[in-house]
Amino acid sequence: MNAIEIHNLTKTYGKARGITDISFSIEQGEIFGFIGPNGAGKSTTIRTLLSLIYPTSGSAAIFGKDCIKFAPEIKREIGYLPSEVFYYDNMKVADLLYYSASFYKKDCKKRIKELVEIMDLDITKKIDDLSLGNKKKVGIVQGLLHSPKLIILDEPTSGLDPLMQQKFFELLEEENKRGATILFSSHILSEVQRLCNRVAIIKEGKIVTVEKISTLKENNYKKFTVETSEQIEREYFNITGVNHIAANGNTTSFLFKGNINLVMKKIAEIEIENLWIEEPSLEEIFMHYYEKGV
């Protein structure tokens, strides 16, 4: 049984774009990335999955249970961090966390203490006295305090400094080792690349592809950087399989997908000073998907 099953999920807002025929599944124990720029439909998908909004058509299930029919039951097993967190300003952090813990039929005090220490959070302060980063820390602790089986994170690192981001990633990896499934939604591709096993790319409300990170990086594309003795026109490498050509003086770089012998023959016809063949970053692969309008 998969942790999440989404079938042809559609949400329309009149003329405004929502999501169209979204389908993918997430295995139990997986860290799954959901990437796309702001406005692509990530938050709409997540809110529909959590039955915070209802779909126009299609269905979604969490741990084999329909997300609408079994919403209250499912939510006990989920930790959710929205992209923006809003709280009662006059509450102290400690009061908010213990109030949140009261919704679950378990003693969360020990876990709250552990999480507060990891995230370096002062729980004696009032919510309205906190910075954006510290409010995000409160959201993280609130989402994890009941040791959920499924963790859903929507743009979770905004407002966190780099050191705290690193601590947060380590915390998620520990939660995953404990057995938690994680859906990690972000437009920051290096985060997804660092944490996730597989990724769904969403564009304009539709899924472009669902792939293993390793497949995206290793099997489909190579990044070539060619340094030549004399400057050449970037069009020289405009052959089948070559995309995203960039020229800077005597150095030309591009992504290549296909029979590598074709591009090597082309390179062999010119005087080169140096040649690098690397795996592209997920960022470069991602931009390729968007520019090509896949």
Side-chain angles (χ1 to χ4, degrees):
M1 181 177 63
N2 287 321
I4 294 176
E5 287 272 3
I6 299 175
H7 295 290
N8 304 115
L9 203 61
T10 298
K11 176 65 179 178
T12 56
Y13 298 99
K15 291 182 180 179
R17 191 189 69 242
I19 54 173
T20 306
D21 283 334
I22 299 287
S23 294
F24 61 83
S25 60
I26 302 175
E27 297 171 10
Q28 290 196 46
E30 187 173 19
I31 305 181
F32 188 91
F34 193 33
I35 56 176
N38 293 326
K42 301 188 300 297
S43 293
T44 298
T45 304
I46 287 171
R47 287 171 188 153
T48 308
L49 187 63
L50 291 167
S51 69
L52 298 175
I53 56 177
Y54 289 170
T56 307
S57 61
S59 64
I62 291 177
F63 300 121
K65 297 174 181 176
D66 182 88
C67 287
I68 297 173
K69 289 180 185 174
F70 298 94
E73 185 181 330
I74 290 168
K75 282 171 184 168
R76 295 192 195 105
E77 306 289 352
I78 296 175
Y80 170 51
L81 178 64
S83 54
E84 295 180 31
V85 288
F86 300 99
Y87 298 115
Y88 298 112
D89 286 349
N90 287 324
M91 283 187 88
K92 285 186 178 176
V93 174
D95 295 336
L96 174 75
L97 294 177
Y98 290 123
Y99 175 64
S100 299
S102 69
F103 289 99
Y104 306 101
K105 294 177 180 178
K106 58 174 78 172
D107 187 353
C108 303
K109 288 178 183 174
K110 183 183 175 187
R111 188 57 180 152
I112 289 172
K113 188 171 183 242
E114 290 170 352
L115 291 167
V116 163
E117 286 177 7
I118 291 168
M119 300 309 294
D120 191 22
L121 182 63
D122 184 351
I123 63 172
T124 64
K125 287 189 173 180
K126 283 188 175 181
I127 300 288
D128 57 352
D129 292 334
L130 299 181
S131 65
L132 173 65
N134 280 320
K135 283 181 181 175
K136 185 56 73 92
K137 289 182 193 178
V138 174
I140 291 167
V141 175
Q142 186 183 28
L144 300 181
L145 57 81
H146 57 299
S147 301
K149 287 166 61 179
L150 173 63
I151 300 167
I152 297 178
L153 307 164
D154 192 1
E155 302 285 355
T157 62
S158 60
L160 298 181
D161 63 56
L163 184 61
M164 194 50 63
Q165 285 183 23
Q166 180 62 31
K167 283 188 177 181
F168 176 54
F169 292 147
E170 289 169 0
L171 176 59
L172 291 181
E173 285 166 343
E174 285 174 17
E175 290 288 312
N176 181 241
K177 284 176 188 170
R178 173 180 67 73
T181 304
I182 299 173
L183 171 57
F184 190 102
S185 173
S186 179
H187 69 281
I188 302 171
L189 304 170
S190 58
E191 297 180 348
V192 173
Q193 197 167 339
R194 180 196 184 296
L195 281 174
C196 299
N197 311 317
R198 289 191 305 139
V199 63
I201 296 176
I202 186 170
K203 173 185 178 181
E204 295 175 359
K206 296 181 180 178
I207 296 294
V208 174
T209 188
V210 179
E211 291 275 16
K212 287 183 179 177
I213 293 284
S214 57
T215 302
L216 276 179
K217 288 181 63 185
E218 293 168 19
N219 299 343
N220 287 9
Y221 299 91
K222 294 294 178 189
K223 181 183 179 182
F224 280 75
T225 306
V226 184
E227 187 182 340
T228 51
S229 50
E230 295 179 359
Q231 188 169 343
I232 60 168
E233 295 295 322
R234 67 191 295 277
E235 286 76 17
Y236 179 81
F237 288 106
N238 196 8
I239 60 173
T240 302
V242 168
N243 297 288
H244 207 45
I245 302 171
N248 182 13
N250 290 5
T251 303
T252 306
S253 63
F254 52 84
L255 294 184
F256 179 75
K257 177 183 178 183
N259 185 343
I260 202 166
N261 291 295
L262 295 176
V263 76
M264 292 306 294
K265 283 178 184 174
K266 198 74 175 169
I267 290 169
E269 292 171 7
I270 54 176
E271 287 289 323
I272 68 168
E273 297 285 333
N274 220 329
L275 172 66
W276 296 266
I277 304 174
E278 311 164 275
E279 292 176 22
S281 69
L282 195 56
E283 181 96 33
E284 290 163 315
I285 295 168
F286 183 73
M287 289 310 298
H288 166 73
Y289 273 109
Y290 271 75
E291 287 166 5
K292 286 294 174 186
V294 175

